[in-house]
Amino acid sequence: MKRDLAARLHEVATTQPHRVALREPGRALTYAELWAESGRIAKELSTHAARDGAVVVLSNVNGATWLATLFGALRVDCVIAVVDPKLPREQREALEASLEPAAVLASDGLSFRDGSRAAATGPGRPDFRRAGGRVLYFTSGSTGLPKGVLLAEETLAANVEWNSELLAVRQEDVACLYLPLSHSYNLVFALCFLLGGATLLIERDLSDLHGTVARMDTAGTTVLQNVPTSLRTLVERADLERSPLREVRAVRVGAGVLTDDLAAKTFRAFPRASIVATYGMTELGLVASRTWTSCPIAESTFDRFVPGLGLDVLDADANGEGEIVVSHPLLFLGYFEAATRSLSLRDGRYRTGDLGRWTRADPAERVLVLGSRKKAVAKVAGVLVSLDEISAIASRVAGVADCCVISVPHPVFGEAVHVFVAPAPNVRVDASDVAMQIVQQTLLRTSPRVHLLDQLPRGDSGKLARGTLEAIAQREMKRE
């Protein structure tokens, strides 16, 4: 596959112009129409001087317009900055200002910015194209502006190659995506099928479950993209008994742990499917994978790795678990700090912050077992405590349905522990009881702050929105 994404789309549009490339509710585009639409957008961008390294922000929901704008921007050598449209308005506007974009695709369409709309203070943003970057994806952020991960086009294209091989993409495939394109994990999946000459079915989400399943049935869906939360919604709530969807051949799952019970339900819902479990991060994309065809599965174990990957487990403990470190020629280029509008280029290997261990010593046979995050301890008034242990204690309190424990800096104690608890429906949980149980069963000398929420905030990928929780904790500290 060519490492020029727009050239690859043009090749497919030339060889099979009348094949349907994209379907979304109320609209379908052939490959010829998608290429023509991207050309129209490229011309419009160029007319407004949005070309040759200018930044184009994509901050819109999934859809054909999003993808056509992506390819249009690539055709005129722009840098694409992907911004989650669900970010709070103030944060999104500040992030866009830091990028000084020439154009922004938002819910009201494509608009163009002039110098008067750019940020008026602070240093100018770096030249992303001079650094070799083509795509800027942003992390979820914490209390400040999200951090940008600068990728070369070659990195994105290589991920398309790796995933296309992993999923055995076929031209007759119809692949359904209902996860946001603001995550690189989902964009790569979409490009696998678009650049492989197949059909991509785009849904907004699973809120209209009956309608989504009906459209997937009508389209003849063969491949599904999921995170554990969306997959659980589908296999537990959708009526699939007589659905043609039962015939899908592959279900891709990432960005979370695939548990044995969820895998069992998936195989019952889709008896002909293989489950492709993946592990990766925005900084590289796919790192490792494993394909399952039946239960039981070994949770979070991976036995296939991308070509040329250097994968190490550093500072292993007595159980062989340590931090996962990766190296590869196609790692990300660097981080863009939106608050200061500065780009720090990567130097050397990438420390993932994830914990893992090898099951075998022989490199030819070893399997990677993924653990938790490295930062799972806090030092409070000189005492080290395990955040995972505190979470387990809080979860055992009667009536607690969901729990998350974080630590934030404290001017007196060094760090402070905050426990966020969501009670089960129609159940009352006493915050002081949760705090008392934690103090009694740990070395903490001060009671943690316990917050009762109706439900814990989660992002589109199903991951806990820790940044939101950190913001709550820090606001609480300022009031004390």
Side-chain angles (χ1 to χ4, degrees):
M1 182 180 291
K2 293 180 180 178
R3 293 288 170 90
D4 182 326
L5 298 175
R8 176 57 182 156
L9 179 64
H10 181 241
E11 182 180 299
V12 180
T14 301
T15 56
Q16 48 184 56
H18 304 301
R19 183 172 181 82
V20 174
L22 285 167
R23 291 189 186 276
E24 61 183 356
R27 188 184 186 193
L29 286 178
T30 65
Y31 274 97
E33 290 169 337
L34 176 60
W35 180 251
E37 178 68 4
S38 73
R40 183 192 66 76
I41 293 172
K43 184 177 180 180
E44 189 176 5
L45 289 170
S46 186
T47 299
H48 290 84
R51 59 181 182 271
D52 303 327
V55 174
V56 175
V57 170
L58 301 184
S59 182
N60 195 13
V61 295
N62 288 11
T65 300
W66 196 105
L67 287 161
T69 305
L70 169 78
F71 284 109
L74 289 173
R75 289 176 67 168
V76 291
D77 203 32
C78 287
V79 173
I80 296 98
V82 184
V83 175
D84 189 345
K86 292 186 177 181
L87 280 175
R89 179 181 174 182
E90 295 80 7
Q91 194 178 39
R92 189 175 67 250
E93 289 179 349
L95 183 58
E96 290 176 4
S98 74
L99 292 164
E100 301 178 5
V104 175
L105 175 66
S107 57
D108 55 352
L110 185 63
S111 60
F112 298 92
R113 308 293 170 87
D114 56 33
S116 65
R117 306 251 341 239
T121 60
R125 64 161 177 80
D127 187 337
F128 299 124
R129 287 299 284 134
R130 185 181 294 275
R134 199 64 185 276
V135 180
L136 197 62
Y137 258 98
F138 287 86
T139 61
S140 58
S142 55
T143 56
L145 293 180
K147 183 167 60 175
V149 178
L150 185 62
L151 302 171
E153 184 174 4
E154 189 177 15
T155 301
L156 199 60
N159 269 283
V160 173
E161 292 180 24
W162 300 331
N163 282 272
S164 295
E165 181 183 350
L166 185 65
L167 293 167
V169 172
R170 310 165 185 171
Q171 287 191 357
E172 60 268 26
D173 274 326
V174 176
C176 184
L177 176 69
Y178 36 72
L179 299 172
L181 288 165
S182 52
H183 296 273
S184 59
Y185 167 71
N186 302 321
L187 175 61
V188 166
F189 176 85
L191 293 178
C192 282
F193 293 90
L194 278 181
L195 303 185
T199 297
L200 181 68
L201 175 63
I202 295 183
E203 292 288 333
R204 300 292 184 259
D205 51 44
L206 289 178
S207 56
D208 174 21
L209 189 58
H210 177 77
T212 299
V213 170
R215 288 187 290 272
M216 286 194 285
D217 283 343
T218 300
T221 302
T222 60
V223 183
L224 296 172
Q225 164 87 337
N226 283 275
V227 294
T229 50
S230 66
L231 181 58
R232 191 173 292 278
T233 296
L234 190 62
V235 299
E236 291 183 350
R237 292 176 48 203
D239 182 7
L240 301 173
E241 277 300 314
R242 289 175 293 277
S243 169
L245 202 59
R246 286 177 59 81
E247 301 300 310
V248 300
R249 67 171 185 83
V251 178
R252 184 178 188 261
V253 186
V257 175
L258 176 64
T259 60
D260 197 75
D261 81 293
L262 180 55
K265 291 176 180 178
T266 302
F267 283 126
R268 284 198 295 270
F270 311 115
R272 299 180 186 276
S274 298
I275 297 177
V276 181
T278 60
Y279 164 64
M281 65 287 299
T282 303
E283 285 80 357
L284 176 60
L286 182 66
V287 171
S289 65
R290 192 162 190 176
T291 301
W292 303 93
T293 55
S294 64
C295 278
I297 66 167
E299 298 176 14
S300 300
T301 62
F302 304 94
D303 61 1
R304 183 173 179 176
F305 309 97
V306 301
L309 180 72
L311 188 61
D312 295 314
V313 174
L314 297 185
D315 304 322
D317 60 18
N319 297 317
E321 186 173 76
E323 184 179 8
I324 298 172
V325 178
V326 299
S327 59
H328 195 279
L330 295 177
L331 266 172
F332 73 115
L333 299 169
Y335 286 120
F336 173 65
E337 297 288 350
T340 59
R341 285 189 280 175
S342 61
L343 177 66
S344 56
L345 296 180
R346 176 186 59 82
D347 181 21
R349 299 182 297 175
Y350 172 62
R351 300 183 74 112
T352 67
D354 294 325
L355 297 178
R357 61 181 175 84
W358 297 112
T359 58
R360 299 184 180 91
D362 186 347
E365 298 181 354
R366 61 187 183 178
V367 173
L368 177 68
V369 181
L370 187 64
S372 60
R373 293 289 294 175
K374 183 180 179 182
K375 178 61 175 175
V377 296
K379 193 171 186 178
V380 183
V383 176
L384 282 175
V385 292
S386 166
L387 302 183
D388 290 340
E389 180 184 0
I390 294 173
S391 180
I393 293 169
S395 297
R396 290 195 293 267
V397 175
V400 173
D402 201 2
C403 176
C404 179
V405 181
I406 65 170
S407 64
V408 294
H410 191 280
V412 176
F413 301 118
E415 290 182 273
V417 172
H418 288 252
V419 182
F420 294 86
V421 167
N426 304 316
V427 175
R428 182 179 179 278
V429 173
D430 188 344
S432 61
D433 182 40
V434 175
M436 182 182 67
Q437 295 287 342
I438 293 170
V439 170
Q440 288 178 347
Q441 298 179 56
T442 68
L443 297 175
L444 273 176
R445 298 168 184 168
T446 58
S447 294
R449 178 71 170 87
V450 178
H451 307 259
L452 298 180
L453 306 177
D454 291 336
Q455 62 181 15
L456 300 190
R458 295 181 182 273
D460 293 306
S461 67
K463 290 184 177 180
L464 280 166
R466 291 181 176 271
T468 300
L469 300 180
E470 289 175 2
I472 294 172
Q474 294 194 353
R475 284 199 301 269
E476 188 77 19
M477 285 181 55
K478 289 179 180 179
R479 288 197 291 265
E480 292 178 354

